């Protein structure tokens, strides 16, 4: 579960633009001073419009100041790629839009993409004149970072401490809070085929953040059952008792039903996560569009900056959980602390704040052509996934993390009962880990943009797992049982994890074609994210076979020598699966140039598309079925779900 949690991110009146030929609007361009080849299209309500006859506000192309009232008409001749008539209107007072070209169009006839860029149009989001829009864009990733890290972080104190759910259920809940990432493909398809008011990204950000805030507020209003363990006079749980022969065993719980009560909370967390994932998918579509306009020598800067920002949001979440949810009821050490519902209410605040921020400070590159119909989109999608290069990368994105994340269910209970990790220390080390992750992103951005992707992944995977095994072994056999020692591995893990994460995002940009950015980002990240719940389902079934049971807290409290061997054997098997994942590296291109070569030279076959659809469909159905069975109070005991039998 620890490895899987890391394997796994304009104003309301801002207008989209219609392409304007340079020889027709030379005067307008001189007036705009920085508008490259577009005008802001606005309807009477100030929202983007896709009609053939549009009002183009040149005030949005300038510094945003009010110009003298005047009107001029520009007549166009009909063509296959141009609208029939536009009406240029001066004098409107509007928020400034960044200089841009039609990001959906093909490379221009005047030289195409510049400096090895994959597209000739788009927005330089980091230009000084676009500072406010950059804030709105990066705020998406900051808020996503808070929730992406914060929701799973509550599981340690609430599900494993307060409710004391079985180990396989806890591992499943941690994974399932990130389940909505597995649906990025469908959200990306919705982005690309169903624009709202002429925009493909921004409206979905607004919808996503609204949904997220709603379900977080519902969680904040949910009553809690009594905790599983009895609470002693010092406010700590009474988890063990001493037998007459001097042996230690598990104490009797005060509310045994609490161990089966987590499913409803987990479901609401999944729905809240679905909201922020919808917003994130739209932001990822923008990221690909921005990144494709970068020249090759600095391509990767946009997505690296975005995920640096997300890592900072994750750091904020660690502080909130570490200090706010550190009472003794939640595996902490403070006499006071926020309850689980109060933390959910606190997380609702950034989601609510993102609604006006998105409305006022997010702008997307203009797309003048009509949106694809679903039939056209599916046809384009089929052509994409039947390509040999794309098929190879999809297989790698699913198979490699799937095998690597077939991990033991023992990790959570080792952390609680043997390492005795408290919530504050757990989150402080997570905070340090997020900062190191950000540092790893910066190092890759600065020094490793052109290193072999295969060598980076092989070296970091082997180094990471050897490191993990040493920390776990010393803790399991009682040689060193100290929370700071045990958590040290979590921190050191982040540098290689950053390299693995960056490589996956760079591959996505190289595979993307214009007009289907949301599909490419959605399909590849869906394959990658679906691997984790699928691996968790397999892991629950596989590690159920280990006896004494890895899911029973009683075995960790009694701490028998033979059980230590069982636990360490499960970690050895996890290490073997991680090493086996390296067998799929040949499916990954070695660098950007090879990725583009594969796209040009590898054959296209319908069989590739059928296999891709088949694998992802089976994995989705299987992982949803098994993991939901693992969380439901009446089915979590099933052997199929990883339990001991009902």
């Amino acid at each position: 579960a620890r490895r899987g949690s890391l394997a796994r991110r304009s104003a309301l009146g801002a207008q989209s633009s219609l392409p304007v030929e340079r020889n027709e609007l030379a005067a307008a361009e001189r007036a705009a001073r920085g508008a490259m080849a577009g005008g802001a299209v606005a309807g009477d309500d100030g929202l983007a419009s896709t009609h053939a006859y549009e009002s183009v506000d040149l005030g949005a192309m300038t510094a945003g100041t009010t110009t003298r009232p005047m009107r001029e008409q520009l007549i166009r001749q009909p063509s296959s790629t141009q609208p029939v008539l536009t009406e240029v209107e001066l004098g409107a007072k509007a928020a400034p839009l960044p200089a841009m070209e039609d990001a959906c169009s093909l490379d221009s006839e005047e030289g195409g993409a510049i400096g090895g860029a994959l597209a000739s149009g788009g927005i330089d989001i980091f230009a000084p004149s676009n500072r406010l829009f950059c804030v709105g864009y990066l705020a998406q990733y900051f808020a996503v970072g808070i929730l992406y890290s914060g929701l799973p972080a509550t599981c340690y104190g609430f599900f494993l401490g307060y409710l004391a759910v079985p180990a396989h259920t806890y591992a499943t809940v941690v994974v399932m809070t990130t389940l909505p990432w597995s649906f990025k493909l469908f959200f990306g398809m919705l982005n690309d085929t169903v624009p709202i008011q002429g925009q493909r990204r921004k409206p979905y950000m607004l919808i996503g953040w609204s949904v997220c805030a709603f379900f977080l507020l519902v969680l904040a209003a949910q009553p809690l059952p009594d905790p599983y363990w009895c609470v002693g006079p010092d406010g700590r749980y009474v988890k063990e008792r001493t037998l007459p022969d001097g042996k230690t065993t598990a104490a009797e719980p005060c509310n045994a039903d609490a161990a089966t009560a987590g499913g409803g909370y987990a479901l609401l967390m999944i729905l809240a996560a679905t909201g922020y994932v919808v917003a994130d998918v739209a932001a990822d579509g923008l990221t690909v569009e921005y990144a494709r306009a970068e020249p090759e020598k600095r391509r990767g800067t946009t997505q690296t900056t975005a995920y640096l920002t997300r890592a900072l949001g994750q750091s904020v979440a660690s502080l909130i959980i570490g200090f706010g949810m550190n009472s003794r009821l939640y595996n902490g050490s403070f006499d006071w602390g926020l309850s689980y519902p109060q933390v959910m209410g606190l997380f609702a605040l950034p989601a609510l704040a993102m609604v006006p921020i998105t409305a006022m400070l997010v702008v997307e590159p203009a797309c003048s052509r009509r949106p694809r119909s679903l039939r056209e989109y599916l046809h384009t999608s089929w052509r994409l996934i039947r390509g040999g290069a794309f098929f190879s990368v999809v297989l790698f994105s699913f198979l490699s993390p799937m095998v690597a994340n077939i991990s033991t269910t023992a990790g959570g209970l080792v952390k609680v009962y043997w390492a005795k990790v408290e919530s504050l220390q757990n989150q402080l080390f997570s905070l340090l880990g997020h900062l190191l992750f950000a540092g790893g992103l910066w190092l890759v951005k600065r020094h490793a943009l052109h290193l072999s992707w295969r060598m980076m992944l092989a070296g970091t995977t082997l180094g990471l797992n050897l490191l993990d095994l040493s920390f776990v072994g010393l803790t399991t056999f009682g040689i060193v049982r100290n929370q700071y020692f045990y958590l040290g591995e979590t921190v050191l893990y982040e540098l290689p994890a950053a390299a693995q994460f960056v490589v996956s995002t760079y591959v996505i940009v190289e595979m993307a074609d214009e007009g289907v950015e949301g599909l490419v980002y959605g399909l590849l990240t869906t394959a990658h994210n679906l691997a984790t719940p699928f691996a968790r389902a397999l892991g629950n079934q596989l590690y159920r076979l280990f006896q004494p049971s890895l899911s029973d807290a009683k075995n960790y409290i009694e701490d028998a020598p033979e059980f230590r061997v069982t636990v360490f054997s499960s970690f050895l098997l996890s290490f073997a699966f991680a090493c086996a994942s390296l067998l799929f590296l040949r499916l990954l291109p070695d660098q950007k140039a090879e990725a583009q070569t594969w796209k040009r030279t590898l054959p296209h076959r319908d069989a590739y598309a059928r296999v891709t659809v088949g694998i992802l469909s089976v994995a989705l159905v299987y992982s949803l079925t098994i993991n939901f069975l693992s969380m439901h109070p009446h089915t979590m005991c099933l052997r199929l779900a990883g339990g001991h039998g009902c």
Side-chain angles (χ1 to χ4, degrees):
R2 288 156 56 166
R3 185 159 41 243
S5 67
L6 290 166
R8 350 297 154 278
R9 313 199 350 225
S10 65
L12 260 179
Q15 295 80 1
S16 58
S17 62
L18 296 178
V20 187
E21 294 180 356
R22 290 177 173 84
N23 60 350
E24 292 181 306
L25 285 185
E29 286 186 36
R30 286 193 297 271
R33 301 210 179 228
M36 295 172 65
V41 179
D44 292 338
D45 58 355
L47 296 175
S49 175
T50 56
H51 298 299
Y53 299 88
E54 299 293 342
S55 296
V56 182
D57 180 7
L58 288 187
M61 298 168 57
T62 63
T65 58
T66 304
T67 58
R68 65 183 182 276
M70 63 173 296
R71 256 186 141 107
E72 66 174 320
Q73 301 242 340
L74 295 175
I75 306 298
R76 291 179 174 236
Q77 298 300 322
S79 71
S80 60
T81 59
Q82 301 285 354
V84 176
L85 175 66
T86 62
E87 183 180 71
V88 179
E89 183 174 287
L90 297 178
K93 186 174 182 179
L97 285 177
M100 62 179 131
E101 292 191 53
D102 184 355
C104 294
S105 63
L106 298 176
D107 291 348
S108 69
E109 297 178 358
E110 300 182 14
I114 299 173
L118 298 178
S120 60
I123 297 174
D124 182 2
I125 196 64
F126 301 110
S129 59
N130 297 333
R131 188 173 293 113
L132 287 178
F133 296 113
C134 182
V135 169
Y137 163 67
L138 293 179
Q140 305 294 320
Y141 287 94
F142 183 76
V144 165
I146 291 177
L147 297 171
Y148 176 69
S149 178
L151 290 180
T154 63
C155 295
Y156 181 70
F158 181 59
F159 288 94
L160 209 54
Y162 191 93
L163 298 178
V165 300
H168 72 282
T169 301
Y170 166 72
T172 300
V173 169
V174 171
V175 169
M176 293 296 278
T177 56
T178 60
L179 173 70
W181 295 97
S182 300
F183 294 92
K184 290 190 73 172
L185 168 64
F186 308 105
F187 299 148
M189 183 181 298
L190 192 65
N191 274 205
D192 286 338
T193 60
V194 188
I196 300 174
Q197 293 290 341
Q199 295 180 300
R200 299 185 298 160
R201 315 296 184 199
K202 180 176 171 180
Y204 290 101
M205 295 179 188
L206 292 169
I207 293 171
W209 288 120
S210 299
V211 169
C212 179
F214 173 78
F215 283 108
L216 287 173
L217 291 174
V218 171
L219 273 168
Q222 292 295 303
L224 294 182
D226 292 333
Y228 178 86
W229 297 110
C230 300
V231 180
D234 60 352
R236 296 183 181 275
Y237 290 129
V238 180
K239 299 180 180 180
E240 57 186 52
R241 61 189 176 92
T242 304
L243 298 175
D245 60 2
K247 293 182 179 180
T248 300
T249 189
E252 290 296 323
C254 280
N255 181 22
D257 292 338
T260 61
Y265 301 99
L267 179 60
L268 289 172
M269 291 173 70
I270 291 169
L271 293 173
T274 300
Y276 81 73
V277 170
V278 169
D280 180 81
V281 169
D284 284 346
L286 285 181
T287 296
V288 174
E289 293 180 35
Y290 295 158
R292 286 177 56 79
E294 294 178 326
E296 183 178 5
K297 65 180 181 180
R298 67 181 182 93
R299 194 155 70 236
T301 299
T302 299
Q303 62 265 44
T304 303
T305 304
Y307 291 114
L308 277 170
T309 306
R310 191 176 82 170
L312 294 177
Q314 291 176 281
S315 300
V316 171
S318 294
L319 290 174
I320 293 173
I321 300 299
F323 287 97
M325 203 173 174
N326 189 48
S327 69
R328 295 188 175 106
L329 292 179
Y330 296 98
N331 281 338
S333 56
F334 293 170
D335 295 330
W336 56 271
L338 297 174
S339 67
Y340 174 79
Q342 289 171 333
V343 171
M344 292 299 104
L346 193 59
F347 282 156
L349 296 180
L352 288 169
M354 287 310 301
V355 175
I357 289 175
T358 300
M360 294 185 290
L361 297 179
V362 169
V363 65
E364 61 182 274
C367 183
S368 64
R369 67 183 178 214
R370 68 172 177 82
R372 288 182 173 87
S373 67
L374 181 60
R375 181 177 180 179
E376 292 172 329
Y377 192 89
L378 292 176
H379 177 69
T380 302
S381 304
W382 186 261
R383 287 193 303 168
L384 175 69
I385 62 177
R386 67 189 296 273
F390 199 82
F391 175 68
S392 181
V393 173
V394 167
L395 285 183
F396 174 80
S397 298
F398 176 75
L399 294 175
S400 181
M402 184 271 289
V403 173
N405 285 296
I406 303 178
S407 57
T408 177
T409 56
L413 295 185
V414 168
K415 197 174 188 179
V416 171
Y417 293 102
W418 288 353
K420 299 188 184 301
V421 174
E422 295 180 338
S423 290
L424 176 59
Q425 284 74 14
N426 187 42
Q427 293 306 315
L428 288 179
F429 273 79
S430 294
L431 170 61
L432 182 57
H434 294 322
L435 295 177
L436 284 178
F437 185 84
L441 291 179
W442 181 85
L443 287 174
V444 172
K445 172 183 174 182
R446 185 70 179 269
H447 302 292
L449 285 178
H450 302 288
L451 294 182
S452 166
W453 292 341
R454 293 172 187 155
M455 294 303 297
M456 286 174 61
L457 293 183
T460 54
T461 297
L462 289 174
L464 158 69
N465 285 279
L466 285 171
L467 188 67
D468 184 39
L469 201 60
S470 62
F471 280 86
V472 168
L474 292 172
T475 300
T476 298
F477 290 106
I479 299 172
V480 181
R481 286 189 175 175
N482 179 279
Q483 63 176 331
Y484 297 100
F485 172 79
Y486 188 79
L487 290 170
E489 178 268 344
T490 303
V491 174
L492 297 176
Y493 181 94
E494 298 295 342
L495 287 174
Q500 296 177 20
F501 180 77
V502 168
V503 168
S504 68
T505 62
Y506 288 174
V507 172
I508 289 170
V509 171
E510 297 306 318
M511 290 293 108
D513 289 321
E514 293 189 56
V516 290
E517 299 89 356
L519 170 70
V520 173
Y521 224 109
L523 184 56
L524 291 179
T525 54
T526 290
H528 180 84
N529 292 318
L530 186 58
T532 302
F534 186 73
R536 183 69 273 145
L538 291 175
N540 285 348
Q541 296 172 326
L542 175 63
Y543 292 100
R544 177 192 64 80
L545 302 175
F546 283 71
Q547 295 298 326
S549 173
L550 299 173
S551 291
D552 191 348
K554 179 181 178 181
N555 293 325
Y556 297 86
I557 294 173
E558 295 179 352
D559 198 12
E562 59 271 18
F563 182 65
R564 295 181 179 183
V565 174
T566 300
V567 171
F568 189 68
S569 298
S570 73
F571 279 104
L572 282 176
L573 183 57
S574 299
F575 175 74
F577 278 120
C579 293
S581 71
L582 299 178
L583 297 175
F584 301 105
L585 279 178
R586 292 300 302 175
L587 296 172
L588 179 73
D590 199 49
Q591 248 293 334
K592 301 172 189 175
E594 186 173 36
Q596 295 301 318
T597 300
W598 283 15
K599 288 177 67 176
R600 293 192 304 268
T601 60
L602 292 185
H604 289 64
R605 295 171 181 166
D606 287 339
Y608 294 156
R610 294 191 186 101
V611 171
T612 298
V613 173
I615 288 177
L616 297 184
S617 299
V618 170
L620 180 62
V621 173
Y622 177 81
S623 60
L624 284 176
T625 301
I626 301 302
N627 287 314
F628 274 113
L629 287 175
S630 299
M631 295 190 304
H632 195 278
H634 300 303
T635 57
M636 63 173 59
C637 57
L638 293 174
R639 289 186 175 90
L640 179 66
H644 309 303
C646 299

